């Protein structure tokens, strides 16, 4: 019985939250890795792209809520998500037209793009704060729990409760669908294959008649969809605050690099690796160990390796170790 | 190296934030030009008295002429640094031509970009990076046929008949294949557009002599289907043996021109380039 309680506590506080967080990071890292693979630079504006997409979705959600539209037990934000994706797609294509296309025409070195994306980041950041403000915004509605802690205790008779929030369930399901769609697109469609070909060998892609501007356009649209989805899921799961999204850039980049930049499978793996280590290292294991330890052996301390304030240090610790021992990332990156 | 500040990334080679592009394209003709029909009798493909170099650099080619007729194999040979590959790139539009012009099938295509020349029916196999390593063999062939909107499966079947090993490995990543097989993928990819002329830049570079003989056999087979082949070769003797026409370049100029047999028999050519 105690072993079961320990397992439930572990599921409740580590495995479920880390899986949801990992799915959000994976979606974010997929966007980063696609831009790196195809446009050849690290897009520092990615966190704020997520914030922009989430912001538009929130505004539409509020509109829908005011109009009395709802999805029943599911959050209304899912209904607003396509609008958010569309708006973000337009923003990214607009940014490409105004900023990145100029540098492409100049055949600028990738590092110039990186710095340009830093500027884009600040502008997007400003736009989001200007429109929605810097404060926390809540927009989750519908049923809060798939399984609530109390129900779980009543059903199983265990001491430990297990809460499985709707937002967590939706995050996992949506992430699986998004990743399946992305992989189907990249591996099965002509356009997807041309994007991989362009990423693999730009010159040969040109000689094969693949239009680079078209590849770039599709890349931004896919990135917009991934970033908005990741942003909305994160906002539903936690809360929306522009600054948090700016900070999310760090674990997202860590995920993409750890998994192998340019490799979509690696981005997913990296996302979960970072999420599980972040949650695992900053969780106080006292409760779990108390259930497992013999009578009278309960630990006195919290059994927490690091305070949650240091969670970003975990991502970077892993990043350093991976880069030292396997510089191309776990899944050997560089190409999509 | 360059005066364009956007192309200066000195000290910024961090692979974790940027992904350097490999550049083999030379100095491609800008898109937007159009082909002009020309009157008179001309070879099927001819780079006529081409003079030019990369960017604003010194001329590498000096009034160099290369031509090929349907059903022929034309080979460009010469010592290192003679401008063999450069001459072929000039024909394909990857060089800034200051003088001379390129005619294909009665049209002046000098103003066309390399991509547009592919559309006009030129198939080009670069010397290096000539396959998509992370794509499967079949995807490589599909990408070769990207500009086509019709059914590509008959062409793919033809390529598989020509290179049976590729059919066995069609679901394998092209980067996992051996050197000779990669070259077959590269040639197969170029054939997928059903080109009117095929240009090969040192197809046997870095493969063993046995594989080289096999590749030459395959190239002859391709030529027998009627596609004219223009080829740069390091292995001058073997290449001239299969050539209908040979061009010996020295320092970007036509030094000797003739049929493959004539050149092989020419004492000067033998002494200078074929080792006696």
């Amino acid at each position: 019985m105690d072993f079961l309680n320990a397992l439930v506590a572990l599921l409740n506080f580590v495995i479920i939250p880390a899986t949801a967080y990992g799915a959000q990071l994976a979606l974010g890292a997929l966007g980063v890795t696609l831009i790196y693979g195809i446009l050849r630079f690290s897009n520092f504006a990615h966190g704020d792209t997520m914030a922009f997409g989430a912001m538009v979705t929130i505004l539409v959600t509020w509109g829908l809520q005011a109009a009395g539209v709802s999805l029943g037990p599911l959050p209304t934000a899912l209904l607003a998500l396509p609008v958010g994706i569309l708006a973000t797609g337009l923003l990214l294509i607009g940014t490409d037209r105004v900023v990145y296309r100029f540098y492409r025409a100049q055949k600028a070195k990738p590092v110039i793009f990186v710095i340009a994306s830093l500027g884009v980041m600040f502008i997007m950041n400003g736009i989001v704060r200007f429109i929605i403000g810097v404060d926390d915004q809540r927009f989750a509605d519908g049923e809060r729990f798939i399984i609530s802690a109390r129900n779980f205790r009543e059903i199983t008779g265990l001491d430990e409760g297990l809460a499985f929030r709707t937002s967590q369930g939706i995050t996992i399901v949506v992430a699986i669908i998004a990743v399946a769609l992305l992989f189907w697109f990249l591996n099965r469609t002509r356009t997807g294959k041309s994007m991989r070909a362009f990423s693999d060998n730009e010159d040969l892609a040109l000689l094969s008649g693949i239009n680079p501007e078209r590849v770039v356009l599709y890349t931004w649209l896919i990135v917009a969809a991934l970033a908005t989805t990741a942003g909305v899921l994160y906002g539903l799961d936690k809360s929306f605050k522009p600054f948090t999204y700016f900070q999310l850039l760090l674990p997202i980049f860590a995920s993409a690099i750890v998994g192998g930049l340019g490799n979509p499978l690696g981005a997913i793996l990296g996302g979960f690796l970072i999420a599980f280590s972040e949650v695992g290292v900053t969780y106080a294991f006292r409760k779990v160990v108390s259930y497992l330890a013999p009578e009278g052996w309960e630990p006195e301390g919290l059994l927490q390796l690091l305070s949650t304030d240091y969670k970003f240090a975990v991502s970077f610790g892993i990043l350093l170790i991976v880069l030292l021992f396997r510089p191309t990332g776990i899944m050997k990156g560089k190409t999509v | 190296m360059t005066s364009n500040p956007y192309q200066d990334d000195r000290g910024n080679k961090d692979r974790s934030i940027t992904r350097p592009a490999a550049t083999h394209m030379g100095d491609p003709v800008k898109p937007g030009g159009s082909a002009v029909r020309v009157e008179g009798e001309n070879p099927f493909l001819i780079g006529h008295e081409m003079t030019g170099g990369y960017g604003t650099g010194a001329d590498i080619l000096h009034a160099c002429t290369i031509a090929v007729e349907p059903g022929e194999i034309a080979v460009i040979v010469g010592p290192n640094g003679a401008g063999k590959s450069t001459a072929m790139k000039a024909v394909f539009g990857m060089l800034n031509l200051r003088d001379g012009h390129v005619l294909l099938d009665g049209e002046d295509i000098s103003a066309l970009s390399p991509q547009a020349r592919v559309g006009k029916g030129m198939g080009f196999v670069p010397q290096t990076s000539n396959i998509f390593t992370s794509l499967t063999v079949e995807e490589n062939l599909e990408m070769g046929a990207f500009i086509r909107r019709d059914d590509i499966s008959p062409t793919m079947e033809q390529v598989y008949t020509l290179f049976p090993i590729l059919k066995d490995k069609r679901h394998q990543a092209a980067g996992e294949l051996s050197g000779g097989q990669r070259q077959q993928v590269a040639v197969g990819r170029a054939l997928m557009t059903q080109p009117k002329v095929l240009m090969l830049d040192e197809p046997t570079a870095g493969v063993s002599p046995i594989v080289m003989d096999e590749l030459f056999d395959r190239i002859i087979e391709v030529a027998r289907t009627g596609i004219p082949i223009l080829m740069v070769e390091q292995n001058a003797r073997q290449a001239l043996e299969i050539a209908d026409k040979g061009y010996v370049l020295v320092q970007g100029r036509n030094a000797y021109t003739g049929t493959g047999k004539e050149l092989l028999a020419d004492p000067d050519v033998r002494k200078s380039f074929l080792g006696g």
Side-chain angles (χ1 to χ4, degrees):
Chain A
M1 215 47 162
D2 272 347
F3 173 73
L4 276 182
N5 274 320
L7 190 70
V8 169
L10 195 68
L11 264 176
N12 189 24
F13 293 107
V14 178
I15 295 179
I16 291 176
T19 307
Y21 181 44
Q24 291 148 10
L25 285 187
L27 286 178
L30 275 174
V32 165
T33 226
L34 276 182
I35 296 183
Y36 181 88
I38 293 167
L39 306 179
R40 294 177 185 276
F41 71 98
S42 288
N43 181 17
F44 282 169
H46 199 74
D48 288 291
T49 308
M50 283 166 60
F52 182 87
M55 177 197 74
V56 174
T57 310
I58 290 171
L59 294 178
V60 176
T61 306
W62 285 344
L64 288 173
Q65 284 169 345
V69 181
S70 90
L71 272 181
L74 296 175
T76 316
L78 286 185
L79 211 56
L81 184 62
V83 184
I85 291 175
L86 203 70
T88 312
L90 289 177
L91 175 81
L92 289 185
I93 290 166
T95 311
D96 187 71
R97 284 283 136 85
V98 177
V99 182
Y100 300 121
R101 191 158 72 167
F102 167 78
Y103 293 108
R104 268 203 304 284
Q106 297 289 333
K107 290 194 181 8
K109 291 291 177 189
V111 72
I112 310 264
F113 284 83
V114 176
I115 303 303
S117 82
L118 204 66
V120 170
M121 173 187 87
F122 284 119
I123 292 177
M124 283 188 187
N125 201 317
I127 294 174
V128 172
R129 289 174 195 219
F130 184 75
I131 296 178
I132 204 166
V134 297
D135 296 326
D136 253 331
Q137 312 289 347
R138 301 209 143 266
F139 61 105
D141 55 3
E143 201 66 53
R144 213 166 123 63
F145 291 103
I146 296 176
I147 307 167
S148 76
R150 187 140 53 94
N151 283 345
F152 183 81
R153 271 197 293 265
E154 278 167 10
I155 294 167
T156 58
L158 290 172
D159 295 337
E160 199 57 43
L162 178 86
F164 189 41
R165 294 209 308 274
T166 316
S167 59
Q168 292 166 330
I170 286 176
T171 296
I172 295 165
V173 172
V174 171
I176 290 172
I177 294 173
V179 169
L181 273 178
L182 177 69
F183 277 74
W184 171 81
F185 178 79
L186 287 179
N187 291 314
R188 290 278 176 270
T189 66
R190 199 173 106 99
T191 312
K193 284 178 193 170
S194 75
M195 285 169 67
R196 281 167 53 221
F198 184 81
S199 159
D200 185 307
N201 189 335
E202 212 175 306
D203 291 338
L204 199 59
L206 283 174
L207 296 188
S208 305
I210 294 169
N211 180 354
E213 288 301 311
R214 181 149 288 214
V215 168
V216 168
L217 183 78
Y218 281 116
T219 308
W220 284 121
L221 285 177
I222 293 169
V223 166
L226 287 170
T228 309
T229 310
V232 170
L233 292 176
Y234 187 86
L236 279 176
D237 196 22
K238 281 141 183 138
S239 74
F240 176 83
K241 192 179 182 187
F243 187 67
T244 322
Y245 280 69
F246 167 69
Q247 277 191 332
L248 260 187
L249 196 61
L250 303 176
I252 283 177
F253 263 96
S255 307
I257 295 171
V258 163
L261 264 171
N263 184 327
L265 269 180
I268 297 168
L269 190 75
F272 283 104
L273 187 73
I274 296 285
F276 270 86
S277 355
E278 236 180 57
V279 176
V281 171
T282 56
Y283 174 65
F285 279 93
R286 179 186 184 174
K287 206 174 194 176
V288 177
V289 174
S290 303
Y291 279 122
L292 292 174
E295 201 72 31
W297 286 46
E298 286 87 357
E300 283 175 17
L302 281 171
L303 294 187
Q304 183 182 22
L305 284 173
L306 272 179
S307 142
T308 44
D309 296 338
Y310 292 112
K311 64 177 181 187
F312 288 131
V314 179
S315 329
F316 285 95
I318 297 172
L319 188 57
L320 277 181
I321 294 167
V322 169
L323 287 182
L324 276 175
F325 294 104
R326 206 174 154 82
T328 52
I330 299 171
M331 299 279 293
K332 208 155 200 277
K334 286 206 302 286
T335 53
V336 170
Chain B
M1 231 177 84
T2 167
S3 57
N4 186 339
Y6 295 111
Q7 291 174 7
D8 179 13
D9 66 346
R10 200 169 71 97
N12 293 310
K13 306 256 160 51
D14 186 345
R15 292 280 284 276
S16 66
I17 55 167
T18 62
R19 182 171 164 233
T23 47
H24 304 284
M25 279 284 268
D27 191 8
V29 176
K30 298 252 181 315
S34 56
V36 186
R37 189 140 278 286
V38 284
E39 297 303 318
E41 279 296 298
N42 284 306
F44 185 74
L45 171 69
I46 179 166
H48 185 71
E49 305 208 332
M50 302 180 293
T51 299
Y54 294 108
T56 51
D59 286 349
I60 298 171
L61 298 179
H62 306 278
C64 173
T65 297
I66 309 276
V68 63
E69 293 285 4
E72 273 186 357
I73 298 180
V75 174
I76 309 172
V77 295
N80 281 333
K84 303 186 294 289
S85 289
T86 308
M88 178 166 276
K89 283 179 180 167
V91 173
F92 192 58
M94 300 207 296
L95 197 71
N96 190 6
L97 277 193
R98 274 179 270 281
D99 202 9
H101 49 262
V102 182
L103 304 182
L104 173 68
D105 203 7
E107 281 185 308
D108 187 338
I109 56 167
S110 315
L112 292 184
S113 68
Q115 293 95 291
R117 291 181 202 212
V118 173
K120 282 276 173 199
M122 289 176 119
F124 181 63
V125 180
Q127 187 182 350
T128 52
S129 309
N130 49 20
I131 54 168
F132 300 112
T133 50
S134 65
L135 272 59
T136 66
V137 170
E138 190 158 291
E139 285 170 340
N140 266 277
L141 299 184
E142 278 175 46
M143 287 300 112
F146 193 80
I147 51 171
R148 287 175 57 187
R149 281 294 184 175
D150 52 336
D151 183 16
I152 60 166
S153 46
T155 319
M156 201 177 275
E157 236 8 86
Q158 283 170 13
V159 172
Y160 284 148
T161 320
L162 196 59
F163 306 114
I165 187 78
L166 298 188
K167 187 160 191 175
D168 300 336
K169 309 216 171 215
R170 65 182 182 276
H171 296 305
Q172 212 169 323
E176 293 168 3
L177 303 183
S178 71
Q181 291 165 354
R182 281 160 166 250
Q183 293 296 357
Q184 296 183 18
V185 176
V187 175
R189 188 203 63 82
L191 287 174
M192 286 303 290
T193 51
Q194 295 182 311
K196 289 193 260 178
V197 54
L198 186 63
M199 309 205 299
L200 309 171
D201 193 354
E202 297 202 21
T204 63
V207 303
S208 70
I210 298 167
V211 176
M212 191 176 85
D213 286 345
E214 202 197 318
L215 273 173
F216 277 142
D217 287 346
R218 293 296 146 78
I219 289 165
I220 294 171
E221 272 183 58
V222 174
R224 285 213 188 106
T225 64
I227 302 176
I229 292 178
L230 180 61
M231 180 164 77
V232 170
E233 249 315 313
Q234 194 74 257
N235 305 296
R237 186 181 290 276
Q238 287 94 327
L240 288 176
E241 274 166 14
I242 65 164
D244 298 299
K245 208 183 265 172
Y247 295 90
V248 180
L249 297 194
V250 177
Q251 291 183 346
R253 290 183 173 84
N254 289 96
Y256 304 92
T257 307
T259 66
K261 288 203 179 65
E262 281 168 11
L263 290 176
L264 281 172
D266 187 320
D268 283 344
V269 174
R270 291 175 71 100
K271 206 160 72 189
S272 325
F273 306 110
L274 304 174

